[in-house]
Amino acid sequence: MEAVLRTQALSLWYGSVQALKGVSLDVLENRVTALIGPSGCGKSTFLKTLDRMTQLIPGVRVEGEIVYRGRSIFDPAVDVTTLRRQVGMVFQKPNPFPMSIYDNVAYGPRTHGIRRHGELDAIVEKSLRQAAIWDEVKDRLKRSALSLSGGQQQRICIARALAVEPDVLLMDEATSALDPISTSKIEELIAQLRERYTIVIVTHNMQQAVRVSDQCAFFLQGELVEAGDTQGVFSAPKDPRTQNYITGRFG
């Protein structure tokens, strides 16, 4: 199976503090990869390196390689805006723009030069349908996205990410701020989206990792301890540190 993203000996420092230590991991096409581990283990940092989001932080230094579909994302010829369209991000806390539901979803396509109303209408509807929220908002597209519930706002943010037709979707604890019903809806959505997209999620919830992911990677103190098929990692971990974490002995 093809690796859409591949990291090789990836290390990262925030100033003098090393947050990632030689991480090598393949992210497989049309699979959900879950990154698990205790707080501060490097999983969110790793996720944000995949679209070069960490380079926005002063004092960050990166060594190693990240290859996206055969090309280094650090190649000087790589346009970061294009990379972030191809590798989209959904954050932990819903962050809709202070504008209408329609304009939130249309924002990305407009940025990339799409202006015709008919084309934008079609993109907005398609994206909201893919995010499983069209039926809830189709009659109030001109209302502020901030008027929606937290779970609905998060699905609007997912629709906004999908509107630019990404290849990969990164989700940084996208359900941690949501109630159980909204969390369930997002998990169902992830299961549907895996048919079209390659998805990487960060989660503290090990039950969620088991429910939604195909591949799982366990991080500890900046190191990738173990990675593989999710069922295998949870039923027969190869490293005792993984066993200790998933059985609740620490973390």
Side-chain angles (χ1 to χ4, degrees):
M1 190 170 295
E2 182 182 355
V4 175
L5 280 160
R6 170 171 289 153
T7 72
Q8 297 171 320
L10 182 68
S11 295
L12 181 142
W13 290 260
Y14 295 114
S16 61
V17 177
Q18 188 169 3
L20 295 175
K21 302 172 184 177
V23 176
S24 297
L25 180 67
D26 285 1
V27 175
L28 303 180
E29 187 164 27
N30 293 117
R31 291 291 183 269
V32 178
T33 300
L35 311 180
I36 64 169
S39 295
C41 68
K43 55 189 185 294
S44 289
T45 292
F46 177 81
L47 191 78
K48 291 172 185 174
T49 63
L50 298 178
D51 67 350
R52 291 175 53 177
M53 195 71 73
T54 50
Q55 76 177 37
L56 300 173
I57 303 169
V60 163
R61 179 166 62 89
V62 177
E63 291 182 0
E65 195 60 88
I66 303 175
V67 176
Y68 168 61
R69 293 207 179 275
R71 185 181 188 187
S72 170
I73 70 168
F74 302 122
D75 186 323
V78 169
D79 179 74
V80 177
T81 301
T82 301
L83 174 67
R84 291 183 186 148
R85 181 184 65 76
Q86 296 165 325
V87 183
M89 174 78 78
V90 178
F91 295 94
Q92 179 175 359
K93 185 178 178 182
N95 62 339
F97 301 141
M99 55 181 67
S100 72
I101 294 166
Y102 183 100
D103 288 337
N104 262 272
V105 182
Y107 183 88
R110 283 176 174 146
T111 300
H112 293 287
I114 297 174
R115 295 285 186 269
R116 294 195 301 276
H117 287 295
E119 192 172 359
L120 286 171
D121 290 349
I123 291 171
V124 169
E125 179 174 346
K126 176 184 175 183
S127 303
L128 290 170
R129 285 187 184 278
Q130 285 186 325
I133 195 171
W134 170 253
D135 289 337
E136 296 171 47
V137 302
K138 63 183 179 183
D139 297 322
R140 43 181 175 154
L141 295 177
K142 297 303 179 185
R143 287 184 58 182
S144 170
L146 299 177
S147 68
L148 300 174
S149 71
Q152 289 174 321
Q153 287 185 19
Q154 191 64 301
R155 281 181 285 153
I156 292 297
C157 292
I158 292 171
R160 187 175 68 199
L162 297 178
V164 295
E165 298 186 336
D167 185 24
V168 179
L169 193 60
L170 310 177
M171 306 180 79
D172 189 9
E173 297 201 59
T175 64
S176 66
L178 305 181
D179 62 85
I181 292 175
S182 297
T183 294
S184 179
K185 288 183 178 180
I186 298 290
E187 289 183 2
E188 291 171 9
L189 175 57
I190 290 170
Q192 296 166 16
L193 292 176
R194 63 149 55 93
E195 297 176 9
R196 302 185 191 93
Y197 303 96
T198 298
I199 301 173
V200 186
I201 67 168
V202 166
T203 179
H204 273 109
N205 186 326
M206 286 182 283
Q207 289 76 26
Q208 181 176 74
V210 172
R211 285 193 299 266
V212 306
S213 72
D214 306 291
Q215 306 289 315
C216 189
F218 170 53
F219 284 74
L220 184 64
Q221 297 179 332
E223 295 181 30
L224 175 59
V225 173
E226 185 168 345
D229 171 83
T230 297
Q231 294 304 320
V233 170
F234 277 87
S235 64
K238 295 180 175 65
D239 191 294
R241 292 172 293 177
T242 311
Q243 176 73 28
N244 288 340
Y245 182 70
I246 64 178
T247 56
R249 292 177 195 166
F250 72 90

